[in-house]
Amino acid sequence: MPLSKIAGIGMYVPEKVVTNNDLKKWMDTDDNWIQERTGIQERRFAKRTEETTTTMAVEAAKIAIERAGITAQDIDFIVFATLSPDYYFPGCGVLVQRAMNMKEVGALDIRNQCSGFLYAISVADQFIKTGMYKNILVIGAEKHSMGLDFSTRGRNVSVIFGDGAGAVVLQPTEKNNQGILSTHLHSDGASAEILAQYNPGSHANHWVETPVADFDEAEIGEMFMSHQMIDNAQLFPFMDGPTVFKKAIVKFPEVIVEALTKNGYTTEDLNILIPHQANLRISQFVQQKLKLRDDQVYNNIMRYGNTTAASVPIALCEAWQNGKIKEGDLVCLAAFGSGFTWASALLKW
Ligand code: ACO
């Protein structure tokens, strides 16, 4: 069975840089507070009306496809991970298929938030291994700047996130000892509401501690979307930051070690870890726990913030572009996020 390799990789971040001080236009916040707790100095925001999750994804995909030495017409499957799609439905996969004039190929959208790209890679990897597809476009992209509460009320969440996109083309490898060695996927739905956007949704208050309206009194449509939701900021994401932090620093190292152990490696064999850029403090904790050197961990959250499903492919692309990943290197990708879901992939580059 052939392994799958990353044949091409690309990234796109919007031009507009938003510093921590820029955020003070909208909310009461502080550069020191943000940097101390998250490491973030600045992030990128998409052009409000011209750029979408899909348009950014297309820019990243064009580069990945070109670097793979193929054209958009050669793509035989699309896997798209995002939590900030252009539309509630349909997903962004079909919008990429349309925008890039691809053949009528399958397009799958993945809803696994921060670990979305890892889940997407894992799905694509199985299709390559079985021989079903030969050129799969895997994308992680987000336009967070459109859906966050930029008032002081939402500052614990909104200062963390940024916009951007990353893409890879997966192909079967002809070489021995190259490609994706294994992927590892996990979830624990017990904490689903700890980091979530409840509305609009079909939960009808069933799972939500703070109901949006009394069920008997509310019109059916109001259960989904109402003025009350807007007034009470219930259309924005909710995050219990400290709980996320505590769980992340346990599950990140666990899933990295799982991938290494499965393939007979230790942390000393690892050339580079590309962690989901959740928070610099989380990455530093993981580095310390696994006793990794600085050159074994790649971080760029300082410049882009947390771009959720896009963060791993953006960091991977940048690390590769900066010459930090060479052929034959052992590379581990890992992510943890909303769900909770967490995942890893071990690759020989
Ligand atoms: N600027 C200034 N002050 C703020 C801000 C802000 N942006 N946000 C919150 N504060 C204030 C709060 O109002 C609070 O003030 P109070 O004590 O007067 O009530 C104080 O700062 C402390 O607030 P906490 O929410 O307790 O802050 P904490 O120290 O826990 O830090 C943070 C928040 C950074 C979110 C932290 O919990 C964390 O790092 N959690 C991990 C979550 C994470 O990284 N998520 C990333 C997305 S999820 C993922 O990718 C896995």
Side-chain angles (χ1 to χ4, degrees):
M1 206 163 44
L3 295 186
S4 43
K5 66 168 181 190
I6 293 179
I9 182 161
M11 61 177 273
Y12 174 83
V13 288
E15 265 175 46
K16 189 179 167 61
V17 175
V18 178
T19 65
N20 293 341
N21 281 328
D22 290 337
L23 293 174
K24 287 161 110 174
K25 277 182 266 176
W26 304 301
M27 65 182 82
D28 176 14
T29 190
D30 171 61
D31 181 39
N32 284 335
W33 191 99
I34 299 172
Q35 288 209 45
E36 264 172 30
R37 284 172 173 79
T38 70
I40 299 167
Q41 295 165 9
E42 58 190 40
R43 73 285 292 140
R44 303 293 180 97
F45 279 2
K47 286 185 191 130
R48 202 146 262 269
T49 55
E50 288 167 44
E51 291 182 311
T52 71
T53 298
T54 299
T55 69
M56 292 189 284
V58 166
E59 293 309 313
K62 281 182 193 163
I63 300 167
I65 288 171
E66 196 191 330
R67 285 177 174 163
I70 59 170
T71 70
Q73 277 64 45
D74 298 315
I75 294 296
D76 46 20
F77 195 61
I78 304 164
V79 191
F80 199 123
T82 186
L83 68 68
S84 50
D86 295 27
Y87 304 133
Y88 190 77
F89 70 87
C92 289
V94 298
L95 304 181
V96 168
Q97 183 275 338
R98 176 176 71 184
M100 299 190 80
N101 292 315
M102 289 175 179
K103 290 182 294 196
E104 292 176 349
V105 297
L108 174 68
D109 280 69
I110 299 260
R111 300 200 47 186
N112 282 76
Q113 297 67 251
C114 303
S115 54
F117 184 76
L118 268 296
Y119 269 73
I121 279 276
S122 181
V123 169
D125 182 39
Q126 312 313 314
F127 279 125
I128 297 276
K129 279 187 189 149
T130 59
M132 185 152 171
Y133 298 122
K134 299 266 179 281
N135 290 300
I136 305 184
L137 178 63
V138 184
I139 298 171
E142 305 285 359
K143 185 179 176 184
H144 284 307
S145 59
M146 203 80 167
L148 297 172
D149 182 357
F150 286 103
S151 72
T152 298
R153 185 179 53 188
R155 64 184 176 174
N156 69 316
V157 176
S158 54
V159 300
I160 293 176
F161 296 95
D163 300 339
V168 299
V169 173
L170 283 198
Q171 287 176 350
T173 168
E174 291 114 37
K175 291 187 186 162
N176 284 331
N177 201 21
Q178 186 198 38
I180 298 175
L181 305 178
S182 63
T183 58
H184 307 268
L185 310 178
H186 295 282
S187 73
D188 176 6
S191 303
E193 284 77 23
I194 290 296
L195 176 51
Q197 183 174 328
Y198 314 128
N199 304 306
S202 58
H203 56 78
N205 295 334
H206 190 68
W207 306 102
V208 182
E209 268 182 44
T210 318
V212 291
D214 183 275
F215 189 86
D216 292 334
E217 289 172 13
E219 296 295 330
I220 294 296
E222 284 180 12
M223 301 296 296
F224 185 72
M225 177 83 81
S226 67
H227 288 289
Q228 185 195 347
M229 284 180 197
I230 297 169
D231 296 342
N232 297 345
Q234 288 170 315
L235 289 165
F236 294 118
F238 168 81
M239 177 176 75
D240 171 352
T243 304
V244 174
F245 197 101
K246 282 182 210 142
K247 190 85 171 181
I249 58 172
V250 173
K251 292 302 171 188
F252 255 117
E254 222 175 78
V255 80
I256 294 163
V257 170
E258 182 184 349
L260 290 167
T261 309
K262 161 90 181 164
N263 294 284
Y265 292 111
T266 71
T267 48
E268 283 169 25
D269 301 311
L270 193 58
N271 292 101
I272 199 154
L273 167 69
I274 311 283
H276 160 52
Q277 305 292 298
N279 179 321
L280 191 59
R281 304 294 159 247
I282 292 176
S283 286
Q284 288 167 337
F285 223 95
V286 173
Q287 179 178 344
Q288 245 177 21
K289 193 151 176 188
L290 297 178
K291 299 188 173 60
L292 297 172
R293 300 181 308 272
D294 285 351
D295 65 288
Q296 285 179 293
V297 186
Y298 192 78
N299 289 305
N300 62 6
I301 189 169
M302 303 75 88
R303 285 175 286 117
Y304 302 130
N306 179 337
T307 57
T308 312
S311 93
V312 170
I314 288 176
L316 182 65
C317 184
E318 222 184 48
W320 175 75
Q321 287 176 174
N322 293 345
K324 292 188 187 299
I325 302 176
K326 296 174 294 301
E327 194 170 332
D329 277 358
L330 190 64
V331 181
C332 186
L333 315 178
F336 174 89
S338 158
F340 291 136
T341 61
W342 59 101
S344 64
L346 196 67
L347 295 81
K348 269 275 184 186
W349 196 262

